[in-house]
Amino acid sequence: MEQQRGMTHAPGGGRAVWRALGYLRRYRGETVGAFVALLLASGANLAAPQMVRLAVDEGLSRGALSVVRAAVAGLVGIALVRGLFNFLQGYLAERASQGVAFDLRNALFARLQRLSFSYHDQAQTGQLLTRLTNDVDQVRAFVGGGVVQVVASLLMVVGCSGLLFLTHPLLALAALGTIAPVLWVLRQFMGRISPMFGKVQATLGRLNSVLQESLRGIRVVRAFSGEGREAARYGRFNEEFLEHNLQLIRIISSHFPRVGLFANLGTWVVVGLGGWLIFHERLSVGELLAFNSYLGFLFMPLVSLGFLAAQMSRAGVSAVRIFELLDTAVEVVDRPGARALPALSGRVELRDVHFRYAGGEREILRGVSFEVEPGQLVAILGTTGSGKSTLINLIPRFYDVTAGAVLLDGHDVREVTLASLRSQVGIVLQDAMLFSGTLRENIAYGRPEATLEEVQAAARAAQAEEFIAALPQGYDTVVGERGVGLSGGQRQRVAIARALLTQPRLLILDDSTSAVDARTEAEIRRALDALMRSTRSTAIVIAQRLSTVRDAHLVIVLDEGRVAAQGRHEELLATSALYNEILGSQLQPDSVEAA
């Protein structure tokens, strides 16, 4: 099972299951009702053999038809009572278990939403999906039916054992002697089955990861004719998953026939010794029948406990995986005493910033320092891997600096609340991620209460209004998962409109116009200029076009995690060889039409 950075030491399966049972506290009524119904159903089960004994010994042997009728009526009544309370027990237990699953899924999703970027950089999506689906379902199955069945089985074992001794102590000792081999077989079974469940869940997670990657990258797969390779890769993990499940079946099929053998041995002992006692008038036929019924009742819960032990083991493995995720530390959190960030004027300062990714040996940023004044447009350029995207991710505090400080209007971003910080920073990431829903909902994601007129104004500023108006349903057009159905440039413009709608005082654009043509990029730039003039917003842009750096108030040139040069375009042309090299190799020239 994979180990994720930040996870606390995983508790044992038993402790994890016990912790999962704590979620039943919210469903005390259903839980108590299920156990009461279970007690009554178990009592009805234990009363049934006494009706048989009464019918044989007091009715049939003496020719008392009324006694037989009374015993039959008693059996019918017991069956009705047992059916009613079994239904109540199953219904209430399932309601409680579904509630536990509901709470676990919500808790897991909430935790995933809060976990730091550093966790998601390393986590596999398929593994996370397995925890929210299959692992939760395994815990739900045991918490709902398993726990109740364990209690029912234990009650039946205790009750049947007591009634066996009450019926005939000598016969009870002989019968219980055959149980010792059953317990030995079940102990062996548990020792072999528990590790297998961990392998099954881990393999299922890897299988889901391969599936998720293949579906997400289906266009790349098709483009490089990789269908056969992906099918083979999925097949390898699927074969491993099949083999682990077959091993589980082999373990079960090799142990439980032996349990059945020893159970039959107990029946042979009871019939043989019981028959001898009947012939010597030390036991009645009705008592023997009742005794044999109780012995069957005793073996059935023992076999059930074996299966339930396996189910508990599987639930324990899943519970460990669930609580590993729930206990994962959130690295970027509000510090004690963090205060709300006042309304920004837009001044940004990076002071000797160092940064290293979790688990990485190389520093991505090494002593980066610069200042940005309110209302300025700042263009960031750099060689490949110089830390451009990393730098802008530190400003809204997606990561915390390893050393140094990021300051907004003089406030260290680590000393203010995350909500107040990110509510004043608009960011458009390189991957223009859209959600399934309407275009209006996507644009208004940061301000769900925004009016249609405000949404349209943001779309107009992002040069998205024209293509949205041409769609059949306009702003009510539903886009597919991750914006399927829109071009890359259209997705980027919607993402820019989403950021503009929040009216940020600081706007960060991470290569966000790379998928639009030069004319559209120029129109977006004019809209951003108007926004910056009207609100004095500060904009930090990872530049892809010459016009961006030419118009910028400040250009930052990064090289191997350091600031190699900074200044205006004309200054850097005259003083920085690296800047000139980047201009010639990386930036896209403006088209004649855009100019």
Side-chain angles (χ1 to χ4, degrees), residues 481-553:
E481 184 180 3
R482 302 191 309 277
V484 172
L486 300 180
S487 69
Q490 289 171 337
R491 288 198 300 271
Q492 283 192 327
R493 279 176 274 175
V494 172
I496 292 171
R498 179 170 58 196
L500 296 180
L501 183 62
T502 62
Q503 299 177 343
R505 304 309 301 270
L506 173 60
L507 183 62
I508 298 172
L509 305 175
D510 181 2
D511 194 12
S512 56
T513 57
S514 60
V516 300
D517 56 49
R519 177 186 294 276
T520 303
E521 196 267 349
E523 291 172 347
I524 292 174
R525 280 285 301 114
R526 285 196 292 272
L528 292 178
D529 288 341
L531 174 71
M532 292 168 62
R533 284 194 299 270
S534 62
T535 64
R536 287 191 55 79
S537 296
T538 303
I540 300 177
V541 182
I542 293 182
Q544 290 294 316
R545 295 191 186 274
L546 179 60
S547 59
T548 303
V549 297
R550 192 174 53 219
D551 297 339
H553 300 97

Side-chain angles (χ1 to χ4, degrees), residues 209-491:
S209 292
V210 173
L211 175 62
Q212 186 267 340
E213 287 177 359
S214 181
L215 291 177
R216 186 160 187 165
I218 191 66
R219 287 176 173 81
V220 177
V221 173
R222 296 283 178 84
F224 290 92
S225 300
E227 296 93 336
R229 294 190 298 274
E230 288 301 309
R233 185 164 72 114
Y234 185 81
R236 287 195 298 271
F237 285 106
N238 200 16
E239 185 176 353
E240 183 182 353
F241 185 59
L242 172 64
E243 179 56 32
H244 288 328
N245 278 289
L246 290 177
Q247 288 181 31
L248 284 176
I249 294 171
R250 283 194 289 269
I251 292 172
I252 293 172
S253 60
S254 64
H255 283 77
F256 280 93
R258 283 184 277 171
V259 173
L261 172 64
F262 291 124
N264 289 331
L265 178 62
T267 302
W268 298 336
V269 170
V270 168
V271 172
L273 182 57
W276 184 85
L277 292 171
I278 289 173
F279 280 117
H280 289 77
E281 298 183 352
R282 296 170 62 182
L283 189 71
S284 69
V285 174
E287 288 174 332
L288 179 61
L289 291 173
F291 191 96
N292 198 50
S293 296
Y294 286 130
L295 185 63
F297 286 166
L298 182 61
F299 274 108
M300 282 192 298
L302 285 176
V303 174
S304 296
L305 284 172
F307 279 107
L308 291 168
Q311 187 184 19
M312 178 180 175
S313 178
R314 189 164 197 165
V317 170
S318 293
V320 167
R321 289 160 54 87
I322 287 171
F323 290 119
E324 277 180 343
L325 181 54
L326 289 177
D327 293 339
T328 300
V330 181
E331 295 179 351
V332 179
V333 294
D334 288 340
R335 289 186 174 181
R339 59 191 183 280
L341 179 66
L344 284 176
S345 65
R347 188 174 188 275
V348 181
E349 179 184 359
L350 270 70
R351 186 180 297 169
D352 192 26
V353 167
H354 292 252
F355 180 78
R356 176 189 290 112
Y357 283 104
E361 297 181 356
R362 184 176 70 90
E363 273 196 331
I364 306 300
L365 298 177
R366 298 182 292 166
V368 173
S369 297
F370 62 82
E371 297 181 15
V372 180
E373 296 302 324
Q376 284 190 332
L377 168 64
V378 178
I380 298 178
L381 291 84
T383 55
T384 302
S386 58
K388 302 184 293 295
S389 294
T390 300
L391 187 150
I392 63 171
N393 281 329
L394 296 177
I395 297 173
R397 207 181 162 208
F398 291 154
Y399 301 90
D400 273 338
V401 298
T402 306
V406 176
L407 300 100
L408 299 183
D409 287 0
H411 300 279
D412 190 324
V413 294
R414 293 168 295 184
E415 302 298 332
V416 299
T417 62
L418 289 170
S420 65
L421 167 65
R422 293 174 183 170
S423 66
Q424 299 188 65
V425 177
I427 185 164
V428 183
L429 299 174
Q430 187 173 10
D431 181 12
M433 172 67 190
L434 301 184
F435 298 95
S436 298
T438 65
L439 284 170
R440 178 179 178 178
E441 290 168 341
N442 272 281
I443 295 174
Y445 187 80
R447 281 183 59 203
E449 74 284 357
T451 65
L452 178 59
E453 289 73 21
E454 290 173 320
V455 169
Q456 290 171 333
R460 193 176 307 117
Q463 302 300 310
E465 185 178 46
E466 183 178 349
F467 86 81
I468 293 176
L471 295 172
Q473 283 81 40
Y475 287 88
D476 292 324
T477 300
V478 176
V479 296
E481 184 180 3
R482 302 191 309 277
V484 172
L486 300 180
S487 69
Q490 289 171 337
R491 288 198 300 271

Side-chain angles (χ1 to χ4, degrees), residues 161-172:
S161 298
L163 289 170
L164 287 176
F165 277 99
L166 285 175
T167 303
H168 201 285
L170 176 62
L171 193 58

